[in-house]
Amino acid sequence: TGGKKSRLFSSKNFGETWKADDLPIIQGESSTGPFSIAFYNKKTGVAAGGDYLRDTLRTDNFLLTRNAGKSWFQPQVSPFGYRSAVEYISKKTLMATGTSGTDISNDGGLTWQRLTPEGFNCVRKAKSGNWVLLAGSKGRIYRVEIDHPQLNSGRLR
């Protein structure tokens, strides 16, 4: 959740009971908080968000965990603004997107580089094949072809 207080709700019994943990991500306004969470495995995960009314703000907009969400830490270099979606492409490669652009990390989310200033609402890796789909406003759908495992030569189409 976001808004006045950013929290992560989790359940170990398929939703019969819930536990709420505070997230050290931007909070306090109705437009702030985490907007997307992705886990590579049971312990390694990320949370992306920010403030969609100030979508270029890079402060407190991304978190990482290595212990299943018991604790969270910020990256060395954050994504370039509010991000509404994040996706693991591989163990070390992630893509995050939002209204102010699309970013990529090749070191497990510790540092981020701008892939394109083109903003989207969601990102999803194909289950098979070498591409990632991005969808945005007005029906825009783009495909990033993965030419290299680290996406160093990916193309936006």
Side-chain angles (χ1 to χ4, degrees):
T1 67
K4 296 289 180 191
K5 187 167 179 118
S6 292
R7 299 185 297 169
L8 174 65
F9 287 83
S10 60
S11 175
K12 292 184 178 182
N13 56 14
F14 301 101
E16 287 185 38
T17 59
W18 293 89
K19 177 185 171 199
D21 292 302
D22 292 343
L23 279 180
I25 199 166
I26 192 169
Q27 57 191 306
E29 301 294 329
S30 62
S31 57
T32 61
F35 285 81
S36 181
I37 293 178
F39 274 81
Y40 182 74
N41 56 35
K42 288 184 179 185
K43 293 193 174 207
T44 303
V46 295
D51 184 344
Y52 64 79
L53 293 179
R54 297 182 296 162
D55 68 351
T56 59
L57 183 67
R58 296 178 70 180
T59 307
D60 298 331
N61 68 336
F62 199 86
L63 298 171
L64 300 99
T65 184
R66 300 287 186 251
N67 59 10
K70 292 182 179 111
S71 64
W72 295 86
F73 61 97
Q74 294 184 7
Q76 296 168 2
V77 177
S78 294
F80 290 77
Y82 161 76
R83 297 296 175 252
S84 57
V86 63
E87 176 83 341
Y88 275 92
I89 308 306
S90 69
K91 182 177 183 179
K92 292 288 184 183
T93 303
L94 294 96
M95 191 177 293
T97 193
T99 52
S100 62
T102 302
D103 307 317
I104 190 155
S105 172
N106 290 313
D107 58 10
L110 292 174
T111 61
W112 289 85
Q113 300 171 344
R114 171 71 52 102
L115 184 62
T116 177
E118 189 84 31
F120 300 93
N121 302 105
C122 60
V123 57
R124 188 67 177 179
K125 180 184 179 287
K127 288 186 180 187
S128 62
N130 294 328
W131 43 277
V132 176
L133 292 176
L134 295 151
S137 62
K138 299 180 183 174
R140 291 179 308 132
I141 298 175
Y142 283 76
R143 182 175 74 188
V144 177
E145 293 184 18
I146 304 169
D147 296 331
H148 183 276
Q150 295 294 315
L151 268 182
N152 289 335
S153 57
R155 293 187 311 269
L156 187 65
R157 293 185 175 191

